[in-house]
Amino acid sequence: MDSIKKPNKSELEFLTLSYNRFYDIYDEIFDEDFWILDEWYRFSVISQGFLIYSELLNYEPIMYSVEKLRTSRPPMEYDIGKFLFKFVRNLLSHFPYFTSWDEIKFNKNIINWNKTDGSIDRFISKYEGHSEVKYRFWEEEKKRMTYISINFPKTYGSDDIYLKDLIEEKSGAQFSYILMKEILNTQVID
């Protein structure tokens, strides 16, 4: 019976390390001083959070929470919470030669250099030409509403596509972390 209890000992160890680091990053990117730091440092910290979140999606109870987004949240939130964030993670992981958010670029040739129909290719192909998705979030401590647009490429071919044109660094990272935290918090008791 203990073998099916969630989380088991190894999961708990992994979850504790992952959640603690994710929450540290979350706090850091909502500190205004973070955004005046070196762009390489910001990029490294932001990237690490996407990597952690993507690994946490492998924990079955978190995936149940993501699946609930299909019916319980606004349109496209499921796609963003699962596929957009994994797309960003995969760009960061498979093409690790960028040093800042604003310089990340790709095109169909780069994405498919090794094989076609990978997860990045499928994501961009699926959302090519999709209309923008708009969100807003309230920053209680700053008494400020922030508006964000998530844009999808009009075409996906040999022309370069910049990540910054899809999702802006500061508001995009902060929005992403808010949604990721909401999903992750579904598994937190204390």
Side-chain angles (χ1 to χ4, degrees):
M1 191 80 171
D2 285 333
S3 65
I4 60 170
K5 183 179 176 188
K6 292 281 184 193
N8 63 36
K9 185 178 178 182
S10 61
E11 289 170 338
L12 185 59
E13 186 175 347
F14 169 77
L15 292 169
T16 300
L17 290 169
S18 298
Y19 270 75
N20 286 342
R21 182 62 184 137
F22 181 86
Y23 289 146
D24 288 345
I25 294 170
Y26 181 92
D27 290 342
E28 189 171 4
I29 70 164
F30 277 92
D31 182 338
E32 284 301 314
D33 291 338
F34 176 77
W35 298 102
I36 60 172
L37 296 174
D38 176 72
E39 63 184 11
W40 166 246
Y41 177 78
R42 291 192 321 260
F43 178 66
S44 298
V45 170
I46 293 167
S47 299
Q48 191 177 51
F50 278 96
L51 296 172
I52 292 167
Y53 175 79
S54 290
E55 285 304 311
L56 284 164
L57 287 180
N58 292 315
Y59 181 58
E60 192 175 17
I62 292 174
M63 275 312 302
Y64 291 141
S65 297
V66 172
E67 290 298 322
K68 284 184 183 178
L69 292 176
R70 283 184 199 241
T71 57
S72 65
R73 300 293 297 170
M76 288 293 295
E77 206 158 292
Y78 166 78
D79 298 87
I80 289 167
K82 183 173 182 182
F83 301 117
L84 176 68
F85 296 159
K86 280 192 120 171
F87 158 76
V88 171
R89 177 258 182 223
N90 288 338
L91 272 179
L92 300 171
S93 180
H94 296 296
F95 303 98
Y97 38 77
F98 298 109
T99 60
S100 73
W101 187 271
D102 288 352
E103 76 175 27
I104 299 173
K105 66 180 179 179
F106 60 94
N107 59 47
K108 196 167 196 158
N109 296 328
I110 293 170
I111 298 303
N112 293 318
W113 77 271
N114 187 32
K115 68 175 184 169
T116 58
D117 200 37
S119 63
I120 298 171
D121 185 58
R122 285 191 311 269
F123 176 83
I124 293 297
S125 295
K126 179 178 180 179
Y127 293 101
E128 176 184 10
H130 193 284
S131 59
E132 73 179 343
V133 178
K134 295 183 179 191
Y135 287 98
R136 64 181 181 196
F137 58 90
W138 176 251
E139 296 177 80
E140 180 63 36
E141 292 173 8
K142 298 171 187 137
K143 304 292 185 216
R144 171 176 72 197
M145 185 71 73
T146 299
Y147 296 86
I148 175 177
S149 292
I150 298 172
N151 301 292
F152 299 95
K154 292 184 182 5
T155 60
Y156 174 49
S158 60
D159 292 338
D160 286 339
I161 299 167
Y162 284 83
L163 182 59
K164 69 179 181 177
D165 295 333
L166 304 182
I167 186 167
E168 190 265 329
E169 181 188 19
K170 181 179 179 182
S171 61
Q174 289 178 334
F175 164 77
S176 298
Y177 274 75
I178 288 169
L179 183 54
M180 288 188 278
K181 185 179 178 185
E182 284 180 17
I183 292 167
L184 297 178
N185 282 351
T186 62
Q187 303 305 307
V188 176
I189 296 169
D190 291 323

